[in-house]
Amino acid sequence: QSMSENRRTPLRAFKQHLEGLSALGVTAVPREAHRAPSKTERLGALAHEVERCRRCPLYRTRTHAVVSDGSSNARLMFIGEAPGRDEDLQGKPFVGAAGQLLTKMIQAMGLRREDVYICNVLKDRPPGNRTPEPDEVEACLPFLREQIAIVRPSVICVLGAVAAKAMLGPHVAITKIRGSVCEYEGISLVPTFHPAYLLRNPDAKKFAWADLKLVKKILGNKQPRPADRSSRGGQATSNT
């Protein structure tokens, strides 16, 4: 066979195939349906964005970016302040002494750590574990908002003053706002003390436990929330 005949043979076969489909009444071949990315895939893409982020200088001193831990389908999300030394070394939030206490707090609620979603306002460790600067918080907030939009939990529990201010505004004081029910994008939000603060002030544990019981009560009264594909910004509001 000549080269031109070799080219025509697949074309003839394809034409015959189309004629056969037409004879059967098939007038269009359906295209493969587009599959929307899963929550896990979207969070994975977000993690890559965090690793490449240069919005503030903290990337220069970090060992690892610390994005999240837990379930992408969690009904409860915990938001802390920033990674510490242990978190920076392991690339995972709340793995040091404060993290061990948080795990115990989650278990006391009748949940497992892998059932919830855990993250921080900042994704990189501030040098010496200092308090995050306002411009660092501002640089990281879009990532946090995207995490909330993807996971779309039923309840958010913010841990400590930095997380409370990031979500509720710079005017709030954690000692006054803790234990109240606020709202972020239609999601119930409850502020409480950071586990690191509880380690330094054991007497405050009873207040934190009361806050967690409130979180558990809200969870019990809410139906699982459907996934939300949007990525809206915004700030929480207080119902107090």
Side-chain angles (χ1 to χ4, degrees), residues 47-237:
H48 286 304
E49 287 184 42
V50 172
E51 290 165 3
R52 295 193 299 267
C53 179
R54 301 294 184 267
R55 295 177 190 171
C56 78
L58 291 181
Y59 75 91
R60 296 175 184 150
T61 55
R62 75 184 181 199
T63 305
H64 294 102
V66 181
V67 182
S68 66
D69 187 33
S71 172
S72 60
N73 294 309
R75 297 183 61 219
L76 173 58
M77 175 185 285
F78 288 96
I79 301 175
E81 176 180 317
R85 179 180 177 276
D86 293 318
E87 290 76 16
D88 178 63
L89 291 173
Q90 297 186 40
K92 188 176 176 181
F94 283 94
V95 293
Q100 293 170 18
L101 178 55
L102 177 61
T103 299
K104 292 178 181 178
M105 292 162 66
I106 293 168
Q107 292 170 343
M109 297 174 71
L111 300 171
R112 300 175 301 170
R113 185 177 167 115
E114 55 265 35
D115 294 330
V116 304
Y117 187 85
I118 304 170
C119 61
N120 285 302
V121 176
L122 261 58
K123 311 308 180 193
D124 295 336
R125 179 196 181 197
N129 290 357
R130 62 163 171 75
T131 301
E133 299 289 346
D135 60 330
E136 294 166 349
V137 172
E138 192 64 27
C140 259
L141 270 180
F143 293 130
L144 178 59
R145 289 171 180 153
E146 182 68 8
Q147 287 175 297
I148 296 170
I150 294 172
V151 177
R152 202 68 186 154
S154 298
V155 184
I156 296 170
C157 182
V158 292
L159 304 169
V162 171
K165 289 177 185 293
M167 298 301 294
L168 296 167
H171 59 284
V172 302
I174 188 63
T175 52
K176 294 181 179 179
I177 199 75
R178 61 138 291 271
S180 59
V181 182
C182 309
E183 188 178 282
Y184 174 87
E185 297 289 327
I187 303 171
S188 297
L189 183 150
V190 177
T192 192
F193 294 122
H194 194 285
Y197 174 83
L198 298 177
L199 289 174
R200 298 191 302 268
N201 301 273
D203 289 345
K205 288 183 179 180
K206 59 180 177 289
F207 300 114
W209 176 235
D211 300 340
L212 294 182
K213 287 195 290 185
L214 175 60
V215 169
K216 189 175 179 180
K217 180 180 178 181
I218 298 170
L219 277 174
N221 292 335
K222 285 182 176 284
Q223 294 298 317
R225 180 185 294 277
D228 186 350
R229 298 296 180 189
S230 66
S231 175
R232 296 172 295 174
Q235 192 170 81
T237 57

Side-chain angles (χ1 to χ4, degrees), residues 26-56:
V26 178
T27 58
V29 179
R31 287 192 285 180
E32 183 180 355
H34 174 70
R35 183 184 68 83
S38 67
K39 287 184 175 185
T40 301
E41 290 168 338
R42 293 173 70 195
L43 289 170
L46 179 65
H48 286 304
E49 287 184 42
V50 172
E51 290 165 3
R52 295 193 299 267
C53 179
R54 301 294 184 267
R55 295 177 190 171
C56 78

